[in-house]
């Protein structure tokens, strides 16, 4: 019953026009970035290497597909949560708003399984978005710009990763990025269980992400103790795969925190939905 | 009378030394001019503060007077100055004066130290100090002070191409300007590490050169083409 209901939930997702907004916006954003890189990518690269270029020269194909894929991932990981929440934030509250939730609750499936099937359907949608991003970033971009070593700027300086050492990092990064987006999906489903309209959970999800991101980026000691528990802190942990050596301890910590967030948020949604007095 | 004598003696000794330095440089330039062009396989190892990079293989192309190109599958880091600057600077003898710095031993080799000072105002090179092996007519070490890129020290090791004055290994020691990696541009906004400042100021780039193809003819167009 859970599988069949998950299938039904997924059909509902793909039947909504807004589900395609995410894919469309993602595609448009990536092609805007590609256009910008094609037109003026060299100056972007010199912005990265500017600190060193007074004394050193960087030779070789720096502006390659690997670098642009990294830029895309870095730029869009901030915006994709909105695209995820746009669909998943509507999964329970949308039914309440439309008045179909009562009919859904009369089906021979437990309320727990209803929430779980919505969570799984949302997870599949998030996976499709992530795979689409991976396809555009790793296949289309590399086809357009070629491949080569990856130059990464982080807080410890510049790291130049060799071409043959990059693909596995991207695959692992997309997995962690997916886990982060899944947490956004779970958060919006959880908020959706509390709401009776579609907009509330979507806006609240984005509000929480913005709030947590600002707290995480502020260099104020009073927030240091809570920063590591905020899921937004770990949304950027995919970047750790581009460190040398890879900080596996930090990555595992991020994975654990994101998984715990998912479990807790879905559990809250299940508890709330089970106790919900459906009157619409 | 005594003062005039000493003045003449100092002037004579200075001009004699200067002449010697000019002769050494002329011999060096004539050897540099033996090479019209070359291509060489290079293994580039960069040890630079705040940059992590593995050794990279590349092919370096050079054509007189200052055409220079590096083709590398990976990203190769080279010093901004030092590769062709010294030879092209020395080739134009109207733009500098050479001052003899005496004879000094460098790694067991007797070298003639020559300081070269540009006489033109817009020269990027401020000062070049050369340790020249007069026997083989090659530079063993160069201290280059530039306007734009600070100072660069180059140590040369010769082997197979000594006859052409082409080294098998060059070690560049470059001044890395102090810089701070701002958190905003590292965009790792969730990283708890504070943005770091570079402490070390010295970067060392070692280039091992092998498989020289000298004077085989490289077209000017080749240097204009993008990699």
């Amino acid at each position: 019953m859970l599988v069949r209901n998950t299938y039904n939930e997924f059909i509902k997702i793909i039947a909504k026009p807004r589900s395609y907004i995410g894919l469309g916006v993602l595609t448009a954003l990536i092609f805007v970035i590609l256009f910008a890189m094609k037109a003026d990518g060299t100056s972007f690269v010199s912005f990265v290497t500017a600190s060193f270029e007074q004394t050193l020269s960087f030779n070789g194909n720096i502006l390659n597909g690997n670098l642009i894929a990294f830029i895309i991932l870095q730029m869009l990981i901030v915006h994709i949560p909105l695209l995820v929440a746009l669909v998943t934030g509507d999964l329970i509250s949308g039914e309440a708003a439309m008045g179909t939730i009562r009919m859904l609750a009369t089906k021979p499936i437990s309320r727990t399984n209803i929430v779980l099937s919505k969570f799984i359907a949302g997870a599949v949608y998030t996976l499709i978005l992530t795979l689409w991003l991976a396809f555009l970033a790793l296949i289309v971009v590399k086809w357009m710009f070629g491949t080569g070593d990856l130059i990464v700027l982080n807080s410890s300086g510049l790291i130049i990763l060799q071409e043959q050492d990059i693909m596995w990092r991207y695959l692992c990064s997309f997995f962690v990025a997916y886990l982060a987006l899944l947490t956004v999906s779970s958060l919006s489903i959880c908020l959706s269980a509390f709401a009776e309209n579609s907009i509330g959970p979507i806006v609240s999800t984005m509000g929480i992400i913005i709030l947590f991101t600002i707290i995480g980026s502020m260099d104020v000691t009073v927030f240091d103790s809570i920063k590591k528990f905020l899921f937004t802190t770990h949304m950027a942990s995919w970047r750790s795969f581009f460190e040398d050596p890879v900080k596996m301890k930090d990555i595992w910590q991020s994975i654990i925190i994101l998984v715990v967030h998912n479990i807790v948020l879905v559990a809250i949604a299940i508890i709330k939905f089970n106790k919900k007095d459906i009157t619409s | 009378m005594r003062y005039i004598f000493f003045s003449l003696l100092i002037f004579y000794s200075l001009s004699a030394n200067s002449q010697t330095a000019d002769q050494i440089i002329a011999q060096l330039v004539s050897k540099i001019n033996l090479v019209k062009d070359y291509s060489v396989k290079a293994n580039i190892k960069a040890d630079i503060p705040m940059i992590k990079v593995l050794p990279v293989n590349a092919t370096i192309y050079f054509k007189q007077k200052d055409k220079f190109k590096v083709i590398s599958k990976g990203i190769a880091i080279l010093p901004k100055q030092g590769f062709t600057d010294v030879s092209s600077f020395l080739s134009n003898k109207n733009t500098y004066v050479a001052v003899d710095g005496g004879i000094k031993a460098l790694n067991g080799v007797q070298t003639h130290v020559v300081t070269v000072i540009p006489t033109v105002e817009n020269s990027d090179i401020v000062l070049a100090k050369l340790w020249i092996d007069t026997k083989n007519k090659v530079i063993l070490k160069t201290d280059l002070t530039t306007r734009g890129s600070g100072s660069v020290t180059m140590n040369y090791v010769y082997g197979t191409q000594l006859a052409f004055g082409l080294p098998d290994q060059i070690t560049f020691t470059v001044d890395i300007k102090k810089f701070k990696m701002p958190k905003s541009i590292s965009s790792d906004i969730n990283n708890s590490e504070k943005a770091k400042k570079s402490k070390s100021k010295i970067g060392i780039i070692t280039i091992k050169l092998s498989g020289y193809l000298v004077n085989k003819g490289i077209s000017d167009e080749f240097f204009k083409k993008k990699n």
Side-chain angles (χ1 to χ4, degrees), chain B residues 24 26-32 132-140 158 162-165:
Chain B
I24 291 165
Q27 285 174 346
L28 192 70
V29 170
S30 68
K31 187 153 190 175
I32 288 170
I132 299 166
D133 175 359
T134 44
K135 189 181 155 198
N136 292 309
K137 296 169 193 162
V138 289
I139 304 172
L140 292 185
Y158 294 88
L162 181 64
F164 283 112

Side-chain angles (χ1 to χ4, degrees), chain A residues 47 52-57 59 74 149 153-155 157-160 162-163 219 232-233 236 239 244 247, chain B residues 50-52 55 73-80 148-149 175 179 181 183 185-188 190-191 193:
Chain A
F47 174 70
F52 303 94
E53 276 192 341
Q54 206 171 5
T55 45
L56 303 170
S57 75
N59 302 275
Q74 189 161 282
D149 289 359
L153 181 64
N154 62 25
S155 53
L158 277 182
I159 297 174
I160 298 171
Q162 293 196 322
E163 188 187 342
D219 276 334
T232 46
T233 305
R239 288 183 104 265
D244 190 36
K247 293 174 183 168
Chain B
M50 296 195 87
I51 297 182
K52 265 189 188 177
K73 203 162 177 271
I75 297 169
I77 299 175
L78 290 173
K80 196 102 177 170
S149 309
D175 254 1
F179 58 85
M181 194 67 65
K183 234 186 165 185
I185 66 160
S186 73
S187 45
D188 195 0
N190 291 316
N191 196 334
E193 282 179 53

Side-chain angles (χ1 to χ4, degrees), chain B residues 155-170:
Chain B
N155 283 287
Y156 304 85
V157 176
Y158 294 88
T160 55
Q161 301 296 325
L162 181 64
F164 283 112
L166 296 171
D168 281 1
Q169 182 177 307
I170 312 174

Side-chain angles (χ1 to χ4, degrees), chain B residues 3 6 12 45 51 74 84 107-108 110-111 121-122 150 193 212:
Chain B
Y3 288 119
F6 278 115
Y12 176 74
K45 189 181 168 213
I51 297 182
T84 59
N107 302 326
Q110 289 282 57
T111 61
E121 275 184 22
N122 56 354
E193 282 179 53
Y212 275 102

